[in-house]
Amino acid sequence: MTRLQDRVAVVTGAAGGMGRAHCLRLADEGADILALDLEQHAAGLAVLAEEVESRGRRCVTGFADVRDPLAVEEAVNTGVAQTGRLDVVVANAGVYADLAPAWELSDESWQRALDINLTGVWHTVRAGAPHLGAGGSIVVVGSVNGVKGGASAAHYSASKHAVSGLVKTLANELGPQGVRVNIVHPGSVATPMILNDEVYAKVRPDLPNPTREDAAAALARRNILPVPWVDPVDISNAVLFFASDESRYVTGTQLVVDAGLTQKV
Ligand SMILES: NC(=O)c1ccc[n+]([C@@H]2O[C@H](COP(=O)([O-])OP(=O)(O)OC[C@H]3O[C@@H](n4cnc5c(N)ncnc54)[C@H](O)[C@@H]3O)[C@@H](O)[C@H]2O)c1
């Protein structure tokens, strides 16, 4: 598989569910990986590096909280100094937590969502873009909550709508240099972000202690296709499309991968 042969991709949130899948999928297609995440996930990054290297590709790891612009810039610059080039930026890190009606959200929860899901993407793009040449690609991971509203997630939905606007603007600004910018909007994806008790309780308020199976039944009813969620690799395949030359004339675009959630009548 050579759709990204010898290119280099930086991925944020790389130790987590979806970020890990992006790294492995891109490596499967011949890319070397610069994998960034919080320092507390050092062990996860080390395991990921082994998995990438077992595919015959290089994996440089680094720590950066995407809220910290200097840390992101230093991690990207240090990584690119080792890989020698950068072709793809995958701004994937995000949080979906503290779920509550808008008027019950604390200022801290609101700010944290905006700081990570919006400003963190901006920091990532700002650090990565100067290294990209013609043919470079920036892929942002948004959400169906950036396409429609989401109950008990005003902070998250606002951040994902805002980052969609950022993508469209960046596409205009970077296009003349041959750099494309696109966004993937996942629906429910089987990662720790939604496979947890807080989300189970939100989607099954009718039950005292809902389980993963209880939540799956409710989430499946939201989709057109008969599945509760998609796998991380389903999103990684969309990321790969935007990262590769197969989408060479696609920019400023939003690709929804959601088992039909946003179109369900
Ligand atoms: N899982 C879903 O159902 C779903 C649906 C729609 C969109 N998304 C989006 O997909 C992306 C990946 O989510 P996931 O499901 O893999 O979540 P996850 O919680 O499994 O992983 C998120 C990763 O981001 C990292 N991260 C969080 N805060 C960070 C910070 N401040 N700085 C650096 N890294 C940070 C975490 O350490 C973790 O590795 C997110 O942008 C999320 O909003 C997820």
Side-chain angles (χ1 to χ4, degrees):
M1 297 294 195
T2 57
R3 292 155 78 187
L4 291 176
Q5 192 63 41
D6 297 331
R7 297 192 198 177
V8 178
V10 61
V11 179
T12 62
M18 225 183 283
R20 179 181 164 280
H22 304 331
C23 293
L24 297 179
R25 188 71 189 91
L26 300 183
D28 280 338
E29 295 289 342
D32 290 339
I33 304 296
L34 171 49
L36 304 182
D37 210 312
L38 299 169
E39 189 164 6
Q40 68 204 60
H41 295 305
L45 283 179
V47 172
L48 169 72
E50 284 178 16
E51 290 178 283
V52 169
E53 283 157 11
S54 74
R55 287 161 163 78
R57 302 311 313 183
R58 185 169 184 195
C59 186
V60 176
T61 60
F63 307 132
D65 187 322
V66 294
R67 290 171 288 190
D68 181 344
L70 294 179
V72 176
E73 189 180 351
E74 187 180 337
V76 171
N77 289 345
T78 303
V80 172
Q82 294 177 67
T83 60
R85 59 184 288 162
L86 186 67
D87 304 280
V88 177
V89 175
V90 184
N92 167 80
V95 287
Y96 175 70
D98 307 331
L99 305 179
W103 52 92
E104 292 175 14
L105 285 171
S106 68
D107 289 348
E108 291 73 25
S109 296
W110 175 270
Q111 199 58 50
R112 180 168 178 260
L114 270 291
D115 284 350
I116 297 175
N117 298 346
L118 173 60
T119 311
V121 170
W122 164 231
H123 292 158
T124 303
V125 171
R126 190 170 60 181
H131 296 286
L132 300 176
S137 175
I138 295 170
V139 190
V140 173
V141 179
S143 169
V144 289
N145 283 290
V147 177
K148 58 189 273 299
S152 295
H155 51 343
Y156 184 75
S157 189
S159 70
K160 293 294 187 177
H161 274 79
V163 86
S164 301
L166 176 64
V167 163
K168 292 173 194 172
T169 299
L170 289 170
N172 278 279
E173 293 181 351
L174 294 172
Q177 301 156 44
V179 174
R180 299 178 296 103
V181 190
N182 294 287
I183 186 164
V184 180
H185 289 305
S188 298
V189 187
T191 73
M193 182 172 278
I194 65 159
L195 300 179
N196 62 67
D197 290 341
E198 183 185 17
V199 173
Y200 300 163
K202 279 294 166 197
V203 300
R204 290 306 302 267
D206 53 315
L207 298 175
N209 293 301
T211 63
R212 174 180 168 136
E213 289 66 37
D214 297 327
L219 290 173
R221 281 193 289 277
R222 297 181 181 185
N223 295 336
I224 294 176
L225 297 173
V227 292
W229 41 62
V230 305
D231 292 327
V233 72
D234 295 301
I235 310 306
S236 305
N237 286 332
V239 169
L240 171 62
F241 171 68
F242 282 139
S244 78
D245 292 342
E246 288 171 13
S247 61
R248 64 184 174 159
Y249 297 131
V250 181
T251 196
T253 290
Q254 311 186 45
L255 177 52
V256 177
V257 182
D258 69 346
L261 185 155
T262 46
Q263 297 303 319
K264 177 109 182 229
V265 293

